[in-house]
Amino acid sequence: MLGIASYIHRFLNVALHFLKLVQNREVGWLTVDRKTGTYRREQQTIWKKFKLLLFFNPIMEWIDRTHLLRLWTHEENVAAGRREGESKSHWQIKGFIEFYGIDMSEYEPSDPESYPTFEDFFTRKHTQNARPIYAETEPSKAVVAADSRVVVYPTVEKAKALWVKGSDFTIANLIKDDQVAEIWDNGAVASFRLSPQDYHRYHSPVEGKVKWYKSIPGDYFQVDPVALHSSVNILTENARSCLCIESEVFGNVLFVAIGATDVGTVK
């Protein structure tokens, strides 16, 4: 009887913990806060999590060989982006701030009513001292390019083995240039993945000069790990902006900003 009671107690603990996570919308990917060392899950709407699991799994990838369902989600994302640029989208701002617990004192303007549309709010900017640059006077230190979840791999092959499962992911396919990509064939990879509540602006990770720039049109699929771990080639199908930064310390650094459902157009 004690054994059965122990199993029931353990089951109830797990069930209650799961319900608490769902109540707090903590159903996203498990991440670690590097400052505190604590683990927590990203906040997501339950509906968004359900759609990710529905569209990016081996069964759906086998069924949807024509990609019509994913094409439909792409069109929906584009339409949603247009709506968020209209003045009537302003009503979403307050609920979004409350849902994600966003500290508006870190942004300017800090008054939510100052943003005409949800798109204006989504691309809000930080106050001057909100994100001090690490070792600002030391050019040998690369910095995180945005508020994000960061993963770093020593080679492209390691990144493909552990993070990006799309079969077409190569640097050449990423920038659509076989010849130029040769210098980064198996270079180190740092990925900065933004969540919806994050500051959606990005900055140069290194000091240097822009050597070249190109914009590549494409889709706006989600870049959640559920999608990245599927066989769908998210990173080489999504719209993106690519540039090469010529750095005295690091050499030629490739920076690619990839559009997604919650971001849309990359500027």
Side-chain angles (χ1 to χ4, degrees):
M1 290 298 291
L2 287 175
I4 295 174
S6 175
Y7 279 118
I8 293 174
H9 181 70
R10 191 181 305 172
F11 172 79
L12 289 174
N13 276 342
V14 171
L16 289 172
H17 177 68
F18 176 75
L19 288 173
K20 183 179 179 181
L21 290 177
V22 171
Q23 184 181 20
N24 295 334
R25 276 80 168 185
E26 293 175 8
V27 295
W29 205 250
L30 190 65
T31 58
V32 62
D33 185 322
R34 293 174 189 270
K35 288 183 178 179
T36 64
T38 57
Y39 285 85
R40 64 175 299 171
R41 292 191 177 276
E42 292 178 69
Q43 287 183 295
Q44 280 182 342
T45 61
I46 305 300
W47 174 237
K48 178 179 178 179
K49 186 69 173 182
F50 174 76
K51 285 198 298 183
L52 280 166
L53 295 173
L54 175 65
F55 288 116
F56 296 98
N57 64 77
I59 296 174
M60 181 57 71
E61 289 160 28
W62 180 79
I63 294 173
D64 187 28
R65 295 181 182 181
T66 61
H67 303 295
L68 287 176
L69 284 174
R70 283 194 289 269
L71 178 61
W72 173 77
T73 62
H74 164 73
E75 294 299 326
E76 283 291 297
N77 294 337
V78 171
R82 284 195 296 265
R83 291 193 296 270
E84 288 171 356
E86 299 173 354
S87 58
K88 58 186 178 182
S89 67
H90 175 81
W91 69 270
Q92 300 178 56
I93 298 173
K94 185 178 179 181
F96 191 90
I97 292 171
E98 292 175 353
F99 180 91
Y100 288 109
I102 296 172
D103 181 2
M104 289 302 295
S105 67
E106 295 186 344
Y107 302 95
E108 54 181 29
S110 59
D111 181 7
E113 295 303 316
S114 300
Y115 299 94
T117 70
F118 185 79
E119 182 179 59
D120 293 320
F121 164 75
F122 202 68
T123 56
R124 62 198 180 276
K125 65 178 181 178
H126 273 312
T127 56
Q128 187 172 356
N129 299 315
R131 295 294 183 273
I133 298 172
Y134 176 75
E136 187 173 3
T137 59
E138 178 50 73
S140 66
K141 305 292 185 183
V143 298
V144 175
D147 281 357
S148 56
R149 274 120 298 275
V150 182
V151 289
V152 181
Y153 297 99
T155 64
V156 172
E157 287 307 312
K158 284 285 187 182
K160 290 176 68 174
L162 298 170
W163 185 241
V164 184
K165 300 301 184 183
S167 57
D168 288 345
F169 179 70
T170 63
I171 301 301
N173 287 337
L174 188 64
I175 66 173
K176 299 293 185 185
D177 193 319
D178 291 357
Q179 186 175 356
V180 172
E182 286 181 358
I183 62 171
W184 297 298
D185 260 354
N186 207 24
V189 176
S191 170
F192 313 111
R193 184 178 58 83
L194 281 65
S195 286
Q197 71 271 28
D198 288 330
Y199 160 79
H200 275 79
R201 299 186 181 211
Y202 51 83
H203 303 266
S204 179
V206 299
E207 185 177 286
K209 295 180 179 179
V210 175
K211 190 174 182 179
W212 56 257
Y213 165 85
K214 70 187 296 186
S215 179
I216 301 174
D219 298 319
Y220 292 104
F221 296 127
Q222 299 187 35
V223 292
D224 185 278
V226 172
L228 292 175
H229 285 187
S230 74
S231 64
V232 182
N233 294 294
I234 302 292
L235 300 185
T236 53
E237 289 186 11
N238 275 19
R240 53 204 182 274
S241 294
C242 316
L243 59 91
C244 174
I245 304 171
E246 195 172 32
S247 164
E248 289 185 9
V249 177
F250 294 91
N252 289 317
V253 176
L254 176 64
F255 186 89
V256 183
I258 299 173
T261 303
D262 301 301
V263 183
T265 303
V266 178
K267 297 181 182 178

